[in-house]
Amino acid sequence: NTSREVKMIGTTQFSNERLAEDVPIFQKMQVNFTPKHPLTHLVVANNNIVMAMANRSLIRIDLSSAPDNQEEIDLNKTIHGAKISNLFLDPTGRHLLISLKSNNVDGQAELLYLSKKSVRPKICGKIKGNLVSSVAFSEELSTESSTGPIVLGTTLGLIMETDLSSDDRMFSKDTELYHKQLFDIGKGQHVPITGLEYHSVPNTTKYYVIATTPHRMYQFQGSINNSSDRPLLQNIFNNYLNKAARFLEFPSNLKFSSLSMYYSQQGKRRLPSHFGWLTEPGLYTGQIDPWEGDGDSVTVECQLINLPDQNIPKNALVTEFHVMFLYADRVKGVCLLNEQVVFDDTYDTSHG
């Protein structure tokens, strides 16, 4: 493919020029915030930062409109008898999901929904009993008052679809506009869904879903009959009721993995152009191309990149030409083209 070869040559040339320049590729930016309590979770999207603190409060910072203003939300009455398992923030920064794990062995997991315009989280009653471990949002379908169709993954390998509303509707107290289980990867076993993405293919009726567990990456594809049907993705998963879902497996002793996507502007939409899946053997990375895949896969030109050292990162984030590895005491940046470490920043844990 001549156009792809030209693109790769241009990319390599651009990267080499950047590496040759004596300027830092990555830089830290200070946020005017000194926490009064230990920080347990942090998510960032569209210049919005949300932090969960050890005193069961949330701190919200909008870097675009009020970077020096920290909004604190007390969750003690809402999450009594539970602890925060994870936070999920949609790409617009408007919709936050809070996954709760009970402190009691017999207690049930819960999911809370908090709109950017609200300070009162809403309980997602239909999802109670499921510990949500990953969320796939749709930037295209979300609104100010609704998440739009989102896909939830649980610690037992369940994949569900729902739509959460911040409006107080007259005839319903439910946060969920609807809720439906779509697929079961775990089959009753503890197989946590560690990453989820779903996207439509422009100018087609095709959708694809990528789901990861600690050991496997699954891909689901298919077409929908009507974009207004709910659940939106029911037809996609119906294709796999009588045939095995396609997956790639790596040996791993880890109980986690992490899935990251790099988005680029494609026409009027931001769509993922390549991905990174962090597992114990390394970072499995490649291009996202739903047009040139083999019918069962949207990932092409994939490779396994070695980790910078023997330590396993806690997370990984792919950028256009690099991957950032998060460790307990440092962040390392590695070039995807030549696997060179181009950024290594260690922080002093005595400063929090």
Side-chain angles (χ1 to χ4, degrees):
N1 188 316
T2 305
S3 62
R4 177 162 293 174
E5 291 174 357
V6 171
K7 182 178 180 181
M8 288 301 298
I9 292 171
T11 299
T12 305
Q13 181 180 354
F14 172 76
S15 178
N16 289 337
E17 289 175 355
R18 289 294 302 271
L19 289 172
E21 295 175 6
D22 190 21
V23 295
I25 298 174
F26 298 101
Q27 293 179 316
K28 290 190 294 186
M29 184 183 77
Q30 184 172 352
V31 177
N32 186 21
F33 174 66
T34 304
K36 298 178 182 178
H37 304 276
L39 187 151
T40 61
H41 299 80
L42 181 146
V43 285
V44 182
N46 195 28
N47 281 322
N48 291 273
I49 301 175
V50 182
M51 294 169 280
M53 315 305 292
N55 68 334
R56 294 184 177 181
S57 68
L58 293 179
I59 304 292
R60 293 195 296 203
I61 302 176
D62 188 337
L63 294 176
S64 58
S65 63
D68 294 324
N69 181 37
Q70 293 101 36
E71 182 182 23
E72 185 170 359
I73 300 171
D74 187 357
L75 298 179
N76 277 283
K77 292 182 179 179
T78 309
I79 63 172
H80 180 70
K83 62 181 179 181
I84 295 177
S85 175
N86 222 327
L87 299 179
F88 307 97
L89 188 62
D90 85 308
T92 69
R94 296 183 298 210
H95 306 289
L96 177 74
L97 273 64
I98 307 166
S99 181
L100 300 179
K101 183 177 183 179
S102 175
N103 292 329
N104 304 316
V105 177
D106 298 329
Q108 288 188 307
E110 288 194 297
L111 185 69
L112 303 180
Y113 165 58
L114 181 63
S115 166
K116 184 178 180 180
K117 293 186 176 181
S118 175
V119 295
R120 296 178 59 186
K122 300 178 67 177
I123 296 175
C124 303
K126 295 181 179 179
I127 302 168
K128 187 170 184 176
N130 295 286
L131 183 56
V132 174
S133 53
S134 59
V135 180
F137 294 97
S138 172
E139 185 175 359
E140 180 186 13
L141 298 175
S142 72
T143 65
E144 287 280 348
S145 60
S146 162
T147 62
I150 60 175
V151 182
L152 310 177
T154 77
T155 54
L156 292 180
L158 299 179
I159 296 178
M160 303 177 287
E161 182 181 319
T162 189
D163 187 344
L164 307 178
S165 172
S166 60
D167 288 344
D168 292 321
R169 291 164 289 152
M170 185 178 300
F171 299 107
S172 177
K173 295 182 180 180
D174 293 331
T175 306
E176 302 95 332
L177 297 176
Y178 67 91
H179 169 257
K180 183 70 179 294
Q181 180 179 317
L182 300 176
F183 202 74
D184 183 359
I185 287 177
K187 307 298 182 185
Q189 302 298 313
H190 183 75
V191 183
I193 306 294
T194 59
L196 267 177
E197 291 275 342
Y198 90 89
H199 299 279
S200 64
V201 180
N203 304 317
T204 72
T205 59
K206 182 180 176 182
Y207 278 76
Y208 65 89
V209 180
I210 297 179
T212 59
T213 71
H215 314 97
R216 293 178 175 180
M217 172 185 283
Y218 290 82
Q219 298 191 42
F220 306 89
Q221 293 188 70
S223 295
I224 61 171
N225 297 325
N226 191 326
S227 60
S228 61
D229 286 346
R230 298 295 182 265
L232 175 67
L233 302 175
Q234 184 71 69
N235 276 357
I236 309 300
F237 288 93
N238 285 348
N239 294 332
Y240 299 89
L241 295 178
N242 299 314
K243 70 173 183 178
R246 173 166 178 158
F247 65 84
L248 172 73
E249 185 168 15
F250 282 121
S252 175
N253 294 315
L254 301 180
K255 295 182 179 180
F256 71 93
S257 68
S258 97
L259 178 65
S260 171
M261 298 279 177
Y262 175 76
Y263 287 75
S264 60
Q265 197 70 30
Q266 299 180 31
K268 295 181 179 180
R269 291 177 53 190
R270 288 176 65 254
L271 293 169
S273 57
H274 61 268
F275 74 96
W277 177 38
L278 174 65
T279 64
E280 188 174 14
L283 182 84
Y284 184 69
T285 182
Q287 305 296 314
I288 300 287
D289 194 338
W291 292 277
E292 294 199 18
D294 61 8
D296 287 325
S297 174
V298 297
T299 57
V300 297
E301 298 181 11
C302 300
Q303 61 177 326
L304 185 66
I305 289 182
N306 295 319
L307 299 176
D309 52 48
Q310 297 299 315
N311 298 317
I312 305 295
K314 293 180 175 294
N315 209 335
L317 176 70
V318 290
T319 69
E320 187 171 10
F321 300 114
H322 302 84
V323 56
M324 304 297 290
F325 290 114
L326 173 66
Y327 296 86
D329 61 347
R330 67 176 57 221
V331 174
K332 283 189 176 183
V334 174
C335 178
L336 292 172
L337 299 173
N338 56 22
E339 301 188 29
Q340 288 185 4
V341 176
V342 296
F343 182 80
D344 191 347
D345 181 60
T346 306
Y347 63 85
D348 187 350
T349 55
S350 65
H351 289 84

